[in-house]
């Protein structure tokens, strides 16, 4: 099956800093989503982005499907951005594989 | 409305108990999912229902029994669980299209098996 690796595994930032999170996948995919899991466990949709670039406020994402990676950019980070960021991919209908996650802590 | 609801939020059960987790969505989605998430690990797919039929069972032990009574509801029946089944159980739904199939997750049920 598809392997999904995320880097870095852990990240500590000062409030206001920018960061780039990476998601590498081992095979071509039809779907790719980025999620933020808050400290209470809720998975929040950030982007559906199997290819191309999208932006939403301080967050943006780029997927280069031909090179099998996706990037999530967080600018001007806030303490509320803390949590775990997951990418999830699927090449078969409905069969989503989650990446290993990046645990982000933003310090005030 | 992009809400998926799950009940209960927390559940503690003994190894001989029978309990059920419930999930509901009113977005008209026709695919519904159960995931299991252990601490500090990513969610792992357990089951997928598509148009109320079981499409995917990721070799889940029979002590977990899913049920999809209608297009809005998804249950997970639990029986004779083991302590290692303690985890966060997440429900999700999506439109059931191959392309543009955005998943929406509920808040989860945190299960403890004693």
């Amino acid at each position: 099956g598809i392997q999904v690796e995320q880097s870095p595994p852990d990240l500590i930032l000062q409030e206001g800093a920018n960061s780039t999170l990476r998601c590498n996948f081992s095979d071509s995919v039809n779907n790719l989503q980025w999620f933020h899991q808050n400290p209470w466990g809720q998975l929040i949709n950030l982007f559906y982005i199997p290819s191309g670039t999208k932006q939403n406020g301080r967050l943006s994402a780029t997927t280069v499907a031909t090179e099998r990676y996706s990037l999530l950019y967080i600018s001007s980070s806030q303490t509320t951005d803390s949590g775990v960021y997951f990418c999830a991919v699927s090449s078969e209908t409905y069969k989503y594989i989650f990446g290993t996650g990046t645990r982000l802590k933003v310090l005030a | 409305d992009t809400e998926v609801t799950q009940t209960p939020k927390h559940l503690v059960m003994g190894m001989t108990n029978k309990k059920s987790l419930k999930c509901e969505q009113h977005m008209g989605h026709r695919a519904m999912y159960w995931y299991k998430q252990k601490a500090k690990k990513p969610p792992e797919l357990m089951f997928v229902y598509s148009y109320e039929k079981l499409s995917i069972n990721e070799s889940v032990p029979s002590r977990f029994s899913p049920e999809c009574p209608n297009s809005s509801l998804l249950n997970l029946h639990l029986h004779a669980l083991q302590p290692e089944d303690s985890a966060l159980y997440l429900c999700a739904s999506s439109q059931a299209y191959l392309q543009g199939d955005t998943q929406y997750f509920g808040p989860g049920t945190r299960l403890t098996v004693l």
Side-chain angles (χ1 to χ4, degrees):
Chain A
I2 293 180
Q3 305 298 312
V4 187
E5 294 288 331
Q6 291 183 240
S7 60
D10 296 282
L11 187 58
I12 300 175
L13 299 173
Q14 284 297 134
E15 204 168 24
N18 302 329
S19 60
T20 301
L21 282 56
R22 187 176 179 102
C23 171
N24 291 333
F25 41 96
S26 61
D27 205 346
S28 59
V29 299
N30 295 313
N31 296 296
L32 188 149
Q33 281 187 261
W34 280 98
F35 295 94
H36 174 216
Q37 188 165 41
N38 66 24
W40 298 271
Q42 174 80 57
L43 278 162
I44 299 161
N45 282 305
L46 298 177
F47 295 101
Y48 172 81
I49 186 165
S51 63
T53 297
K54 289 187 177 179
Q55 179 154 8
N56 184 2
R58 297 181 296 104
L59 302 182
S60 63
T62 295
T63 297
V64 183
T66 53
E67 297 188 22
R68 299 180 186 166
Y69 72 88
S70 184
L71 302 174
L72 178 69
Y73 305 96
I74 305 174
S75 64
S76 305
S77 57
Q78 301 174 356
T79 55
T80 51
D81 295 332
S82 296
V84 185
Y85 289 81
F86 289 107
C87 65
V89 305
S90 72
S91 60
E92 303 170 42
T93 308
Y94 311 136
K95 197 162 184 175
Y96 283 88
I97 308 295
F98 275 72
T100 48
T102 292
R103 191 171 302 271
L104 174 65
K105 187 165 188 176
V106 180
L107 304 175
Chain B
D1 183 10
T2 56
E3 189 179 26
V4 177
T5 60
Q6 289 186 245
T7 55
K9 284 188 170 55
H10 300 274
L11 179 61
V12 179
M13 61 186 290
M15 289 189 284
T16 59
N17 293 155
K18 286 185 182 181
K19 297 286 184 184
S20 297
L21 310 185
K22 295 185 186 302
C23 173
E24 191 167 6
Q25 57 88 15
H26 294 288
M27 295 178 277
H29 289 173
R30 301 310 297 270
M32 296 186 77
Y33 310 73
W34 281 115
Y35 287 84
K36 174 182 178 179
Q37 186 178 21
K38 301 283 279 184
K40 298 190 186 300
K41 296 290 188 183
E44 293 180 344
L45 185 64
M46 300 174 71
F47 301 105
V48 181
Y49 273 82
S50 171
Y51 294 87
E52 294 102 70
K53 293 193 188 312
L54 185 63
S55 293
I56 294 177
N57 176 344
E58 289 287 87
S59 303
V60 179
S62 60
R63 58 185 184 269
F64 295 91
S65 175
E67 179 196 21
C68 190
N70 61 55
S71 60
S72 300
L73 292 173
L74 186 66
N75 298 321
L76 186 62
H77 303 298
L78 313 173
H79 173 54
L81 294 193
Q82 304 296 309
E84 59 264 29
D85 296 322
S86 298
L88 179 66
Y89 288 84
L90 294 160
C91 174
S93 70
S94 71
Q95 287 181 328
Y97 302 144
L98 179 59
Q99 301 292 337
D101 200 21
T102 303
Q103 291 183 96
Y104 295 90
F105 279 81
T109 293
R110 206 165 289 276
L111 173 67
T112 302
V113 182
L114 300 176

